[in-house]
Amino acid sequence: MDRDLVEQASHGDREAFGVLARVHGDRLYAIANRILREVDRSEDAVQQALVIAWRELPRLRDPDRFEPWLHRIVVRACYGEARRRREWTTHIRVLPVDGPGQPDASSNVADRDLVDRGFRRLPPEQRAILVLHHYLGLSPGEIAETLGIPAGTARSRLHYAHRAMRAALEADERVAVVAGGRSS
Amino acid sequence: MTSRSDVERVLDRYLADGAEQVPDRVIDDALRQIDHIPQRRALRVPWRFNDMPSVFKLALAGATVVAVLVVGSMFLNRGPTNSVGGPGVGSPSPSASVPASATASPSPSLALTDTSNWVPFTSDLYGYSIARPPTWVAQPATRDWSLETDRADWVGHGVADRFWGAAEGEDTLVTAFADDVPSGMSDDEWLTAYYEGTEADGQQCDALVEELKPLPAIMVDGRRGVIAVNEACSDAQAFVFTEGRVHVFAVWRAEVALLEAFLSTVRFQ
């Protein structure tokens, strides 16, 4: 279905593009929301991505590549949003705790807060690659195709993103230990 | 919790959680916007001139003459002994070579992009250095570019230093190569010969010449050059003639500002 719609849209069919936007909008939003961790910015990124996709669609050579191409555009829109607002750490909020069945809810809140802080410290490029890998389940090769970068670069970025995330978590843990020691 | 595998599991859980549904108004707003936004024309990498239909070859050949006049006139208009209008194909003009000591005012601003963190690349083959954005990939040329066999092949598989990366969300290619200007050949004659082999796919680049817009002269590492922009094919090429040699720097699918940023990092050996 996508292929026909993409071809129609690339020839200026706004109705076809509207269908594509509604079909893929949720996924774009999910990606943006996870990279930016902020509702308003995510919505802006999705809107920008759709506008850019419309404008640039005639340049997409292979209609079957529409979805990864769209993902690339939304990721880049997220970069733009992130650049416009760098003060990530001033807008930390703890996301909802997972549903029932968690062994220790308070511990989960603390852990999630820790992860959230660590994730927000990463540059947008690293957050994006983690979202593509851990949320979309893309391999480094698929990430490379999506982002238009060499596979080796995707692998190395993923490696560094994991390392940075680990370092951020460890830094927070150290702070927590020191703070705990002072208060006791 | 912080071993590598633990970090990956933590991220799996963390990123599984989050919003999944975009509000309708977001899509509606975007669709309202595109009602007023035209689509950009499709782009193609120029294909081999030899693959083109004969009729188009003839048309392009004619158009090429105009291109050469445009580019040639850019040189002639600057030279103190050159007349306006420039040479036609097959009517060699006085040399339009521009000496390094020319007094033309330099480009007002080459470095439109911050290149301070760019990665240096040196080409011993072509005798220059340049810098590229840190995320870009460099592919050095493996053999000399030659006007005789590679004319107008600025895409340059193997014959140009190639730099791949993303600019404005698009895969972008910057290439660089150099060639000796044969003894007795003027700069505009060299350009004439260069464009005689112009490639196009006959579908998208038919406005190749009509849209070839000359820009103000540029200075590259203290040497004068010109940039020719072809908006129809979304490419731009800079030619820097110096000491019997021409350096060509080209960009495909990006704004000229990006090429200018690359040029601002060029140093000739």
Side-chain angles (χ1 to χ4, degrees):
Chain A
M1 178 187 81
D2 259 17
R3 187 184 175 87
D4 291 341
L5 288 170
V6 171
E7 285 180 346
Q8 290 164 26
S10 70
H11 287 91
D13 185 335
R14 286 182 163 81
E15 201 170 314
F17 186 80
V19 176
L20 289 169
R22 293 191 193 285
V23 167
H24 293 276
D26 285 345
R27 180 52 63 91
L28 295 183
Y29 183 63
I31 293 170
N33 184 264
R34 281 158 178 78
I35 294 173
L36 296 167
R37 313 304 295 183
E38 198 176 333
V39 170
D40 291 347
R41 296 277 159 180
S42 305
E43 292 178 358
D44 287 349
V46 170
Q47 280 193 0
Q48 285 173 35
L50 289 173
V51 169
I52 292 170
W54 163 256
R55 199 184 66 203
E56 303 293 330
L57 193 51
R59 299 184 175 199
L60 175 66
R61 293 176 184 224
D62 180 1
D64 293 330
R65 302 284 307 148
F66 177 71
E67 189 172 22
W69 177 78
L70 201 53
H71 291 172
R72 180 191 303 189
I73 292 174
V74 79
V75 165
R76 296 201 172 275
C78 289
Y79 294 167
E81 284 298 319
R83 275 196 296 273
R84 271 192 282 280
R85 185 170 186 173
R86 293 176 185 277
E87 64 272 29
W88 291 92
T89 52
T90 62
H91 289 274
I92 295 172
R93 68 182 168 86
V94 179
L95 295 176
V97 185
D98 291 340
Q102 300 301 317
D104 182 347
S106 61
S107 157
N108 276 338
V109 171
D111 280 356
R112 180 153 198 93
D113 190 23
L114 197 69
V115 176
D116 198 41
R117 277 203 303 272
F119 189 79
R120 286 167 188 271
R121 282 182 192 157
L122 303 181
E125 289 79 8
Q126 289 186 337
R127 290 199 296 267
I129 213 154
L130 291 175
V131 169
L132 294 179
H133 183 64
H134 290 278
Y135 174 64
L136 289 186
L138 300 186
S139 68
E142 291 167 328
I143 291 171
E145 271 191 61
T146 297
L147 295 183
I149 58 178
T153 304
R155 274 194 297 276
S156 109
R157 277 194 198 171
L158 186 59
H159 169 73
Y160 284 112
H162 282 139
R163 201 170 74 173
M165 188 69 194
R166 186 165 69 247
L169 295 177
E170 286 174 350
D172 259 359
E173 281 178 346
R174 277 195 297 274
V175 170
V177 168
V178 171
R182 280 179 186 155
S183 64
S184 61
Chain B
M1 137 166 216
T2 54
S3 74
R4 185 177 185 282
S5 57
D6 280 349
V7 165
E8 293 197 57
R9 282 199 295 274
V10 163
L11 284 166
D12 282 341
R13 283 199 303 273
Y14 173 69
L15 292 172
D17 185 31
E20 297 280 352
Q21 279 197 313
V22 65
D24 285 343
R25 64 178 161 71
V26 174
I27 304 293
D28 292 341
D29 285 352
L31 295 179
R32 266 195 294 275
Q33 286 183 53
I34 69 164
D35 276 342
H36 310 287
I37 296 174
Q39 289 183 312
R40 292 176 71 172
R41 292 179 56 181
L43 297 173
R44 296 287 184 273
V45 176
W47 298 112
R48 291 274 172 197
F49 186 71
N50 288 342
D51 293 335
M52 293 163 50
S54 299
V55 172
F56 186 77
K57 283 182 189 175
L58 288 173
L60 185 63
T64 299
V65 173
V66 181
V68 171
L69 288 173
V70 170
V71 175
S73 67
M74 293 157 61
F75 278 87
L76 293 174
N77 285 339
R78 287 196 314 273
T81 61
N82 293 331
S83 59
V84 175
V89 173
S91 60
S93 70
S95 171
S97 297
V98 182
S101 59
T103 56
S105 56
S107 170
S109 172
L110 273 183
L112 301 179
T113 301
D114 179 14
T115 60
S116 57
N117 69 334
W118 285 23
V119 180
F121 171 90
T122 299
S123 172
D124 293 326
L125 185 64
Y126 291 130
Y128 75 98
S129 65
I130 198 169
R132 68 180 190 278
T135 57
W136 284 44
V137 176
Q139 299 172 313
T142 52
R143 69 173 174 84
D144 256 322
W145 188 94
S146 140
L147 182 63
E148 187 177 348
T149 57
D150 306 305
R151 73 178 63 224
D153 181 12
W154 60 266
V155 176
H157 296 279
V159 294
D161 296 323
R162 293 152 56 91
F163 308 93
W164 278 103
E168 301 295 328
E170 292 277 4
D171 283 344
T172 302
L173 173 67
V174 171
T175 64
F177 54 90
D179 192 35
D180 289 325
V181 176
S183 175
M185 181 182 266
S186 66
D187 299 343
D188 49 328
E189 285 172 331
W190 188 93
L191 281 169
T192 300
Y194 178 82
Y195 276 106
E196 275 176 357
T198 296
E199 301 170 340
D201 63 4
Q203 301 297 316
Q204 307 298 337
C205 293
D206 48 350
L208 178 69
V209 178
E210 285 80 359
E211 294 192 33
L212 192 65
K213 294 180 180 173
L215 290 184
I218 53 166
M219 295 291 282
V220 179
D221 193 23
R223 303 172 198 205
R224 285 180 51 171
V226 292
I227 291 184
V229 179
N230 175 13
E231 289 184 351
C233 291
S234 200
D235 70 64
Q237 301 183 56
F239 302 90
V240 182
F241 288 89
T242 177
E243 297 168 355
R245 199 157 165 78
V246 56
H247 286 264
V248 183
F249 303 89
V251 63
W252 171 66
R253 201 154 64 169
E255 300 299 325
V256 174
L258 181 69
L259 179 60
E260 292 177 332
F262 270 84
L263 292 175
S264 73
T265 70
V266 167
R267 297 293 177 269
F268 296 110
Q269 294 171 356

